[in-house]
């Protein structure tokens, strides 16, 4: 079927380059079409073959990740992954990035990131019950860092709070590598009945294709291709590519979609996310092996004179595309109008295997669908391994243990996040059992049951820079450990792979190595990957971010009453589980106190992680543990300080050591507060788990043998002061 206005060859080639298509990719598109494309067709190829939508540099590596387990109901490839959690229920979750938009327009970029990931979850039929985030910012001394942090936090809080989904957890890091490219990774968890999962695969010739939600505008056009390119000096001028979100419309959309999902009307459903109407229509028809025809005259529009190209590529928010059963249009329309949302039949399914787009009597696009996926570029890019870091030699302790602990708890990476948490509503919905600062992972009840989900986001980018494979494994292991520390059984992860320019062998080598490490950890810990997102080209003027494979983990507690937190209880024995070797390479003590970023990261022993974690979880569920905290950034001393600050209760430590003992970041370790240390130590010996009694809680001071006493109140004041002082006046 001929398109009405194909582009002239010179114009077509020039626009293809501007849209991010490489010369060979453009040639492939011409071969598929057998002619010059129209502007709309060229736009469709450019977004569908962008890095953001096609994963053309990463697919070959991501295939290594384990994605199956008896409890995995839906794995990668749908809007979000789904796991069974018992009692006929399932958890749905995913993490996605909104990095580039959040640099250009921090408030709207972060807000629409939250909105987009919410839609991915409720598109599956789930009611969202929790949001989390993983944030990375540049040097906190820079005014731009503080401006971006302020806007991002307000955007996350503004959207999540208004839509009525609690923000219950997350993480924040600072490093100069993120000066020109912050990372904003948003995660949502939802609940549904395991036999009521909705997918995007469209079926049924003649079935109506309907548009629901908010109207289409010109915001976000070419957002997907913008997110598939490096930044340059002019990137902050790209605000038109950033969408504007409306959380109140999102709340209405959630309720309307869930109400319609309670009927038998829906055949398939897809969020209009990156690449908007293009990706949703192409993916729905493609997954079902169908064709699709769209009449863009019927698309609800909020701006005058919109072209087919603009409507197909707009990334306006709070919109969904559905395929309905014949005759269900009136029912669906009545529901969406009740919720004051737009509803329009804009097309139908065909058996042609093509996408045909009509507008104002003209054919704006006619493309075979299968090649958009089957012939999408797939690159085996050159990789360059990260050379191993030389072993760290002896490092003198410049200030002493007590002074170092005070400096660390006040450092940007370890200080209290209360300034951030207080802008998020963690309690809306009334099901949050452990909120930020109370446990290693957030714990949210499954309403109507005794069950609860534990959830966390984790990554240590400085480890990944020094050794991407060990860093990838450690990120998965830490997420598993944080969930375990609440008493929950870790079940699955989502990932957000944030890296620099994949066309550089060193960056592609970082990605490949991180995936290897993640795959090994997921396999060893029975912790499969069920969803994820890849964000590449995170560079500004050639300067890449730290490799950051952020991990979002979810686990289940059969009884929320068994969940423990990290607050130090009074008059308890303190037991250290796991082996302490005093590894200081890439530690925060080394960076913040000794002024070095050097050495290899701590080794990850996955067998020890599994053995120690399973033991700790078993003791928690047996009622033998009152509080638990895993050891990570800052090592033993910081973990003890965090437990003390969480409750205001100190401890006397009967063990001793130098900087490596107190601040080394050896993995697979936990501190347990128990009433009966002897019984726990006997159980540990029987299980072959290293464990030692290190002290007893009580009083108002941390007494680190000859290095104390250190006032818990003073530590708390230092810990709480940093972010408010940093953000004063923003």
């Amino acid at each position: 079927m001929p398109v009405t206005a194909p582009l002239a060859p010179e114009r077509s080639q020039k626009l293809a380059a501007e849209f991010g298509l490489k010369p060979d990719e453009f040639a492939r598109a011409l071969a598929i079409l057998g002619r010059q494309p129209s502007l709309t067709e060229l736009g469709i190829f450019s977004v569908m073959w962008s890095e953001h939508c096609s994963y053309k540099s990463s697919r070959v590596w991501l295939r290594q990740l384990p994605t199956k387990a008896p409890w995995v109901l839906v794995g990668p490839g749908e809007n979000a992954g789904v796991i069974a959690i018992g009692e006929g229920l399932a958890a749905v979750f995913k993490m996605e990035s909104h990095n580039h938009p959040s640099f250009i327009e921090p408030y709207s970029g972060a807000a629409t990131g939250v909105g987009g990931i919410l839609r991915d979850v409720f598109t599956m039929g789930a009611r969202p019950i929790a949001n989390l985030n993983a944030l990375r910012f540049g040097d906190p001394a820079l005014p731009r860092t503080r401006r971006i942090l302020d806007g991002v936090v307000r955007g996350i809080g503004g959207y999540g709070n208004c839509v009525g989904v609690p923000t219950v957890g997350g993480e924040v890091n600072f490093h100069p590598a993120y000066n020109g490219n912050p990372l904003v990774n948003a995660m949502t968890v939802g609940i549904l009945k395991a036999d009521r999962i909705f997918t995007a695969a469209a079926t049924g010739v003649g079935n109506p294709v309907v548009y629901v939600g908010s109207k289409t505008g010109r915001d976000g056009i070419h957002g997907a291709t913008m997110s598939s390119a490096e930044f340059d000096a002019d990137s902050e001028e790209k605000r038109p590519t950033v969408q504007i979100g409306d959380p109140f419309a999102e709340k209405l959309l959630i309720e309307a979609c869930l109400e319609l999902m309670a009927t038998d009307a829906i055949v398939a459903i897809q969020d209009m996310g990156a690449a908007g109407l293009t990706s949703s229509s192409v993916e729905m028809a493609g997954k079902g092996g169908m064709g699709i025809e769209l009449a863009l005259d019927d698309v609800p529009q909020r701006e005058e004179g919109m072209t087919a190209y603009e409507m197909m590529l707009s990334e306006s928010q709070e919109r969904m595309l559905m395929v309905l059963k014949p005759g269900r249009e009136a029912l669906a329309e009545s529901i969406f109008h009740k919720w004051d949302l737009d509803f329009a039949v804009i097309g139908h399914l065909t058996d042609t295997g093509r996408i045909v787009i009509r507008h104002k009597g003209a054919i704006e696009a006619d493309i075979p669908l299968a090649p958009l996926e089957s012939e999408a570029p797939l690159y085996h890019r050159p990789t360059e391994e990260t050379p191993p870091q030389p072993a760290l030699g002896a490092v003198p302790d410049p200030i002493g243990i007590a002074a170092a602990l005070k400096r660390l708890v006040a450092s940007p990476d370890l200080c209290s996040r209360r300034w951030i948490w207080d802008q998020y509503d963690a309690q809306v919905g009334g099901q949050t059992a452990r909120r930020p600062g109370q446990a290693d992972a957030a714990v949210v009840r499954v309403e109507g049951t005794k069950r609860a989900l534990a959830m966390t986001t984790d990554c240590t980018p400085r480890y990944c820079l020094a050794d991407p494979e060990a860093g990838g494994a450690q990120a998965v292991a830490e997420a598993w450990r944080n969930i375990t520390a609440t008493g929950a059984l870790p079940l699955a992860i989502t990932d957000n792979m944030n890296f620099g320019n994949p066309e550089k062998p060193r960056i592609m080598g970082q990605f490949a190595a991180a995936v290897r490490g993640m795959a090994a950890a997921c396999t060893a810990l029975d912790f499969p990957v069920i969803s994820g997102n890849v964000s590449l080209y995170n560079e500004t003027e050639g300067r890449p971010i730290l490799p950051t494979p952020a991990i979002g983990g979810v686990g289940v507690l059969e009884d929320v009453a068994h969940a423990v937190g990290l607050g130090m209880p009074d008059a308890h024995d303190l037991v250290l589980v796991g082996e302490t070797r005093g590894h200081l390479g890439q530690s925060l003590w080394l960076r913040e106190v000794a002024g070095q970023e050097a050495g290899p990261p701590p080794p990850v022993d996955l067998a020890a992680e599994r053995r120690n974690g399973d033991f700790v979880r078993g003791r928690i569920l047996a009622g033998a543990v009152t509080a638990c905290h895993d050891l990570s950034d800052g090592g033993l001393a910081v973990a003890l300080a965090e437990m003390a600050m969480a409750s205001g209760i100190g401890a006397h430590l009967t063990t001793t050591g130098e900087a490596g003992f107190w601040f080394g970041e050896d993995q697979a370790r936990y501190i347990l507060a128990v009433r009966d240390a002897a019984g726990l130590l006997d159980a540990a010996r029987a299980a072959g788990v290293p464990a030692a009694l290190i002290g007893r809680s009580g009083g108002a001071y941390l007494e680190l043998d000859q290095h104390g006493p250190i006032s818990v109140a003073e530590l708390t004041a230092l810990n709480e002061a940093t972010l408010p002082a940093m953000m004063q006046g923003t």
Side-chain angles (χ1 to χ4, degrees), residues 233-483:
D234 300 322
S235 291
E236 287 185 271
E237 303 307 315
K238 294 183 179 178
R239 285 182 175 81
T241 62
V242 179
Q243 313 94 322
I244 306 300
D246 180 350
F248 299 105
E250 182 99 342
K251 174 61 174 173
L252 299 177
L253 188 60
I254 291 172
E255 299 305 328
C257 286
L258 293 179
E259 183 173 338
L260 185 60
M261 286 167 167
T263 73
D264 66 347
I266 297 175
V267 174
I269 181 170
Q270 176 76 38
D271 162 42
M272 288 192 221
L277 189 52
T278 290
S279 63
S280 56
S281 57
V282 167
E283 289 174 9
M284 289 177 75
K287 286 177 179 177
M290 305 297 295
I292 189 169
E293 290 198 13
L294 300 179
L296 298 190
D297 294 350
D298 299 323
V299 170
Q301 301 161 52
R302 68 165 184 260
E303 299 187 46
E304 294 291 329
M306 291 194 71
T307 66
Y309 167 83
E310 290 172 330
M311 280 186 274
M312 290 303 294
L313 270 67
S314 168
E315 294 184 6
S316 295
Q317 298 291 286
E318 294 86 41
R319 304 179 301 156
M320 310 288 277
L321 198 66
M322 297 181 183
V323 174
L324 300 182
K325 292 180 180 178
R328 300 296 198 275
E329 298 93 327
L331 168 65
E333 184 173 18
S334 68
I335 290 172
F336 282 91
H337 283 176
K338 181 184 81 172
W339 291 100
D340 200 24
L341 294 167
D342 279 290
F343 174 96
V345 178
I346 66 166
H348 62 277
L349 297 182
T350 71
D351 60 1
T352 64
R354 305 179 74 87
I355 179 169
V356 177
I357 297 165
R358 303 174 188 272
H359 185 224
K360 295 185 176 179
I363 298 171
E364 294 285 350
D366 182 0
I367 305 173
L369 282 167
L372 277 175
E373 179 180 1
S374 65
E375 297 189 36
L378 177 62
Y379 293 124
H380 294 72
R381 296 194 186 278
T383 60
E384 177 186 310
E385 292 295 320
T386 298
Q389 291 285 319
L392 188 68
V395 181
D397 180 353
I399 59 175
I401 303 303
L405 179 57
K406 293 175 184 179
R407 181 178 295 183
L408 282 170
V409 300
S411 68
D413 272 10
L414 289 175
C415 69
S416 169
R417 273 53 177 139
R418 188 179 305 279
W419 181 89
I420 295 173
W421 298 335
D422 283 351
Q423 297 183 59
Y424 303 157
D425 189 338
Q427 300 286 12
V428 63
Q431 301 304 311
T432 306
R434 293 285 187 279
R435 52 188 174 79
Q438 294 183 333
D440 283 350
V443 178
V444 180
R445 300 177 191 88
V446 178
E447 190 170 8
T449 75
K450 296 193 299 181
R451 292 176 179 272
L453 297 180
M455 53 198 76
T456 184
T457 61
D458 293 287
C459 185
T460 310
R462 63 184 186 277
Y463 293 176
C464 298
L465 180 66
D467 184 337
E469 186 167 352
Q474 190 275 340
V476 172
E478 186 171 355
W480 191 87
R481 221 163 44 231
N482 281 331
I483 291 168

Side-chain angles (χ1 to χ4, degrees), residues 176-193:
Y178 303 105
N179 281 349
N181 201 128
L183 301 185
V184 176
N185 297 169
M187 176 177 170
T188 293
V189 182
I191 296 290
L192 50 58
K193 292 182 178 179

Side-chain angles (χ1 to χ4, degrees), residues 113-127:
V114 174
I117 197 62
L118 281 165
R119 288 194 298 280
D120 280 339
V121 167
F122 73 75
T123 298
M124 302 295 294
R127 178 170 292 281

